[in-house]
Amino acid sequence: MNAESAIDLPAPVTRARTGTPLPAGIGTRDPAWARRLLIGLALAFIGLMLVLPLVAVFVEALHDGVGKYLSSIANPDAWSAIRLTLIVAAIAVPLNLVFGLCAAWSIAKFEFRGKSLLITFIDLPFSVSPVISGLIYVLLYGAHGWFGPFLAEHGIKIIFTVTGLVLATIFVTFPFIARELIPLMQEQGTEEEEAAISLGAGGLQTFFRVTLPNVAWGLLYGVLLCNARAMGEFGAVSVVSGHIRGQTNTMPLHVEILYNEYDFVGAFAVASLLALLALVTLVGKSILEWRIGRRLARGGH
Amino acid sequence: MSLEAKNISKTFNSFQALKDVSLTVQRGEFMALLGPSGSGKTTLLRIMAGLDTQDSGEIRFDEEDVSGRSLRDRKVGFVFQHYALFRHMNVSENVAFGLKVRPHETRPSPPEIKRRVDELLHLVQLEHMGQRFPSQLSGGQRQRVALARALAIEPSVLLLDEPFGALDAKVRKELRRWLRRLHDEMQLTSVFVTHDQEEALELADRVAVMSQGKIEQVGTPDDVYHRPETAFVYEFMGNVNRFDCRIQDGHARVGPLVVAAPEFPSARDLPGLAYVRPHDITLRAADEPGLPAVIRHVFTAGPGIRVELQRRDTKTAIEADLPHDASRQLLLTPGTEVSLTFSGARVFAAG
C-alpha cells in the first residue's frame, strides 16, 4: 500500500530543495519607489498613531523616576482600582465563557426557529456604543429606572456598585467568546459527538473529552480577547460606576480621575499597567493564532 | 446477533425518507443497503444504530425490541462516512476511547486497555501508527482506525455508512476484500450502505436494493443481478437498453423480434418495456433476421468492445458489449448496417 504511506511534502520545501526561484508576479509588480512609499507611509502611520503613544505612556509614567512610579502604583486608591478590575474580570469572563459556550453550542449543533435572530442579538453589544450599554443599565436598575423602586424595596443596589460594573462588563464583552466559537463548532459538525456516544460515552464525557478539546484553542483565544476588553472597558463602566474612589473605580476610570487631577505620573503609571496587559494579550493572541493556524494546516479539514 | 427492522417509517419535515420498510439481517450475515442518494438507505442504517429515531415501527436485536434503547446502550459498532475520528487524539487514544469511557466497574485496567488497543491496531494493520494523529493519515488508514475504534467495544452488530465512499479506486478494492475477511473471521453481523452496485455485489451475502424510501428487492447478489424483480432494480444493477414493446400471450414484440414474457401469460396487447443488458445483444450481418440498426461508435471498454448503435426504425440509441474477438467475424466500423438479436431480455409492464 504505497499510496497509503505517502506523506505529502509541503510545496515550499520542494521548492527550496530544487532551488527554483518564485516566479515574479507578471503585470502585478509595482515600481520600487511606489512600494517603498507605501511601506514607508504604513510604517510612519503605525509609528505615529500606535507605537509613539505606547512609548509615551511608559515615558510619562517613569518621568519622575522608578521610585515615584512604584509609589504611584502602591497608592491605596490605585491598588483598589487594580483589585476591582481583576474582580470584575474574574466574574465577567467566566460567566461569558459559560454563556458563550451555551450559545455557540445551541447555534452550531441544533436547528431551531429564531436562530438567525439569536445570532444577531449576540452581535448587539458590538454595534451599540458602550456608553449606551451603560445607560441602559441605569435606565433599568437605577433609582428612577424600571426596576428601581422594586430593587430599593428589597434593599438591592446595582447601579454605583460592583454588581453594576460586572453587569455592564458582561454586556459589553458578551460577543467575544460566542463569536469565536460559533464558526468553529459549525465547521466541526456533530459527527464526532455521535461517534463518542455510539462508543458508549455519556453526555458529560462527550463534552469534556470530545467537544471541549476540539474548541479549546478557539475558546482560549476568545477568553483572552474577552478578558482584555473586560479590564480595559471604560464607557459602559463609567456610566454605572459613580466613580467612588476606592470602591467602584476600575483602572481605566482611575486613570481618568488622576489625569483630571493633574497627577500625570500617577495616571500614566496605572495606564502603563493597562498597556502591559495589552501587550501580553497581543503576544498571547499571536501565539494562539500560530497554534490554531498550525492545527488547521495540519488538519487540512 | 440477528437484526430486524419492522415496518419502519420516517419523515423529515415533509419528506418521507422511509415508507413502511421491513428487513431482516441474519446472524453472521453481511448485508448491503444499495440505492441511489435519497433512497433512504442511510436513514435506515442510522435508525438501526439509534442515531435517528423512527416515527413508527420497531428495531429488534435477536428478537428483542430495542427501539426505546439509546444509541449509547445499543452497543453497535458504527463507522461514519467521513470516519469522525477524534482529531485531537492520536490513533491509540481514538481506539481506546470506547474502553476508557466505560463506567468504573466495567472499565479494563490501563495495561489491559493498552493490550487491546495494540491487538486492534495489529488487526487493522496499523501497528506502528499509534502515535500519529488522524490528520497525518491517508484516507484508507483513517478508515481502518475508525473500524478499529468501532470494534473496540466488541459490538454485536457492525454498521457502516458508505465505508469506501471517500477513497480512491485502488485502495477501495483492497479495503473491500480486507473488510470481508475481517467480517468472516470475527463472525460479525454487518450492514453497510453503498450506492456502488459493484461494491454491493462483490462484498455482500445479500443485497437490499432501495429506492424512494422503499426496499425494491432483497436477495443474493446473483438474485438481484440476474433475476431483478422490478424495473428499477434491473436499471440500477447495471447498464441496460430499454425497448418499447407490446405484450401478447406471454410474448413481447420489439420491432421484428419476439422475446419471452412468461410473467404475462394472458396479456392482450399490453404496452410494456423490454430490458436488455448490453452483453445480451448479438450483432449479425444485415441480411440476417433481427432488429435493423446502424453502428455509430466503437470503442474498447476494458476486456471487450462497446458498440453504440442506432435503431433504424425509431432512431433510438442502443449499447452493446461484445467480446474482443467479435470484430473478427464482423466489420465493426461506424456506418455499418447490422441486425440485432437478444440472448436475454426481461419484460415489465409500462408505467
Side-chain angles (χ1 to χ4, degrees):
Chain A
M1 289 193 187
N2 55 352
E4 304 229 17
S5 53
I7 297 165
D8 292 328
L9 279 175
V13 176
T14 327
R15 194 176 290 125
R17 268 198 198 152
T18 51
T20 330
L22 270 171
I26 301 154
T28 59
R29 264 187 98 103
D30 296 312
W33 63 266
R35 263 187 300 153
R36 287 201 195 107
L37 184 71
L38 283 173
I39 294 171
L41 269 178
L43 286 179
F45 190 83
I46 289 172
L48 209 61
M49 305 303 283
L50 298 175
V51 181
L52 198 59
L54 198 63
V55 173
V57 168
F58 289 98
V59 169
E60 286 296 319
L62 296 164
H63 190 258
D64 294 347
V66 178
K68 189 80 200 322
Y69 173 79
L70 290 176
S71 69
S72 296
I73 292 175
N75 174 291
D77 285 348
W79 254 121
S80 119
I82 293 169
R83 233 187 9 251
L84 185 61
T85 299
L86 292 177
I87 289 172
V88 169
I91 300 172
V93 174
L95 282 176
N96 269 340
L97 175 76
V98 174
F99 295 157
L101 261 175
C102 292
W105 180 284
S106 49
I107 284 169
K109 316 256 168 174
F110 305 130
E111 286 303 323
F112 55 92
R113 289 167 83 92
K115 190 159 148 175
S116 51
L117 197 69
L118 182 62
I119 297 177
T120 314
F121 271 121
I122 288 174
D123 276 343
L124 188 68
F126 273 166
S127 49
V128 172
S129 159
V131 178
I132 310 292
S133 318
L135 281 174
I136 294 167
Y137 279 88
V138 174
L139 193 70
L140 286 177
Y141 305 117
H144 304 287
W146 289 9
F147 305 120
F150 173 84
L151 292 171
E153 257 172 53
H154 294 80
I156 303 167
K157 279 201 70 173
I158 290 180
I159 303 304
F160 305 148
T161 67
V162 178
T163 318
L165 293 177
V166 170
L167 284 179
T169 306
I170 287 178
F171 181 87
V172 173
T173 58
F174 182 75
F176 285 98
I177 292 172
R179 265 281 144 207
E180 200 56 48
L181 291 183
I182 289 168
L184 198 61
M185 285 186 154
Q186 275 178 330
E187 182 222 296
Q188 292 178 350
T190 51
E191 268 205 344
E192 283 183 51
E193 276 87 5
E194 284 182 342
I197 295 168
S198 80
L199 291 167
L204 282 178
Q205 283 175 320
T206 303
F207 179 75
F208 283 109
R209 284 170 181 261
V210 176
T211 311
L212 204 55
N214 272 346
V215 298
W217 293 109
L219 189 66
L220 218 59
Y221 188 92
V223 165
L224 201 70
L225 292 183
C226 181
N227 182 58
R229 182 65 191 270
M231 290 190 175
E233 174 55 26
F234 179 83
V237 169
S238 172
V239 177
V240 296
S241 145
H243 305 272
I244 307 165
R245 253 188 226 228
Q247 282 185 32
T248 61
N249 251 355
T250 60
M251 283 164 77
L253 301 179
H254 194 61
V255 171
E256 194 208 15
I257 289 183
L258 291 175
Y259 188 82
N260 287 343
E261 290 169 349
Y262 303 107
D263 181 0
F264 294 134
V265 170
F268 280 110
V270 178
S272 72
L273 292 181
L274 283 170
L276 272 180
L277 167 75
L279 290 176
V280 168
T281 305
L282 206 65
V283 171
K285 183 171 160 286
S286 305
I287 292 174
L288 284 178
E289 273 173 355
W290 176 71
R291 288 232 38 163
I292 294 169
R294 212 177 49 152
R295 280 175 67 85
L296 285 183
R298 207 180 55 181
H301 57 86
Chain B
M1 181 189 293
S2 70
L3 176 62
E4 190 183 1
K6 230 176 153 183
N7 307 106
I8 300 288
S9 290
K10 174 74 179 175
T11 305
F12 293 109
N13 296 321
S14 60
F15 174 68
Q16 203 177 358
L18 290 175
K19 300 167 189 165
D20 196 28
V21 167
S22 295
L23 179 69
T24 307
V25 185
Q26 302 300 338
R27 175 193 301 257
E29 195 169 37
F30 205 152
M31 170 76 86
L33 300 180
L34 172 67
S37 56
S39 59
K41 54 193 193 304
T42 294
T43 306
L44 181 58
L45 191 80
R46 287 176 64 91
I47 287 174
M48 285 174 172
L51 282 161
D52 276 325
T53 316
Q54 67 274 30
D55 298 335
S56 62
E58 278 178 12
I59 297 293
R60 291 169 168 274
F61 287 179
D62 270 343
E63 304 293 313
E64 185 194 353
D65 184 9
V66 296
S67 305
R69 248 191 251 169
S70 72
L71 165 67
R72 191 186 171 194
D73 300 325
R74 284 196 199 179
K75 278 196 72 177
V76 296
F78 198 94
V79 177
F80 291 81
Q81 186 178 1
H82 301 292
Y83 321 131
L85 296 179
F86 305 126
R87 66 192 88 186
H88 61 283
M89 298 182 200
N90 65 29
V91 168
S92 292
E93 288 164 343
N94 262 285
V95 176
F97 186 87
L99 301 171
K100 282 187 183 163
V101 295
R102 282 198 193 160
H104 197 70
E105 314 85 68
T106 55
R107 191 188 314 151
S109 65
E112 169 66 9
I113 290 181
K114 191 189 171 314
R115 195 186 63 74
R116 293 270 293 279
V117 168
D118 289 344
E119 212 175 85
L120 283 159
L121 288 182
H122 177 74
L123 183 74
V124 299
Q125 301 160 6
L126 290 172
E127 292 98 330
H128 308 297
M129 300 284 185
Q131 298 309 309
R132 297 250 187 123
F133 283 87
S135 53
Q136 297 167 314
L137 302 178
S138 71
Q141 290 169 335
R142 285 182 206 177
Q143 175 65 274
R144 285 181 283 157
V145 175
L147 206 61
R149 185 179 69 175
L151 292 174
I153 61 168
E154 294 174 331
S156 37
V157 177
L158 187 62
L159 305 175
L160 308 107
D161 185 8
E162 298 268 2
F164 312 107
L167 302 173
D168 59 66
K170 186 172 167 285
V171 177
R172 194 186 300 197
K173 277 213 151 146
E174 282 174 8
L175 262 181
R176 214 141 83 181
R177 288 194 202 115
W178 174 81
L179 180 65
R180 176 73 229 202
R181 266 208 317 277
L182 194 76
H183 165 92
D184 293 337
E185 279 167 21
M186 299 191 72
Q187 303 185 321
L188 292 161
T189 302
S190 310
V191 182
F192 77 103
V193 158
T194 181
H195 59 262
D196 182 341
Q197 307 86 340
E198 198 192 318
E199 195 166 290
L201 294 179
E202 183 181 319
L203 203 51
D205 295 319
R206 282 197 304 153
V207 179
V209 185
M210 295 187 69
S211 163
Q212 297 179 3
K214 283 185 170 164
I215 292 183
E216 293 271 330
Q217 185 176 355
V218 185
T220 62
D222 198 48
D223 280 340
V224 292
Y225 190 76
H226 292 295
R227 288 173 290 282
E229 282 165 12
T230 67
F232 173 83
V233 176
Y234 209 109
E235 284 198 56
F236 193 70
M237 293 315 296
N239 285 339
V240 72
N241 295 294
R242 289 201 302 186
F243 298 95
D244 288 319
C245 61
R246 309 301 292 191
I247 312 170
Q248 176 96 24
D249 300 327
H251 292 282
R253 205 168 262 288
V254 180
L257 291 176
V258 174
V259 295
E263 294 86 358
F264 305 95
S266 51
R268 299 236 148 257
D269 199 30
L270 184 71
L273 282 171
Y275 286 77
V276 184
R277 297 248 183 250
H279 59 79
D280 283 334
I281 291 181
T282 313
L283 269 61
R284 295 161 185 272
D287 50 7
E288 288 187 54
L291 187 66
V294 183
I295 296 180
R296 287 290 172 219
H297 294 285
V298 180
F299 42 92
T300 308
I305 301 170
R306 171 152 303 168
V307 183
E308 277 180 19
L309 306 118
Q310 190 179 38
R311 252 175 95 166
R312 288 279 298 282
D313 47 0
T314 60
K315 303 291 180 204
T316 47
I318 300 170
E319 256 184 20
D321 284 344
L322 306 177
H324 73 280
D325 56 1
S327 54
R328 273 190 238 148
Q329 294 141 25
L330 208 63
L331 186 64
L332 292 180
T333 48
T336 308
E337 307 247 338
V338 290
S339 219
L340 306 181
T341 55
F342 305 149
S343 56
R346 178 71 200 272
V347 178
F348 294 97

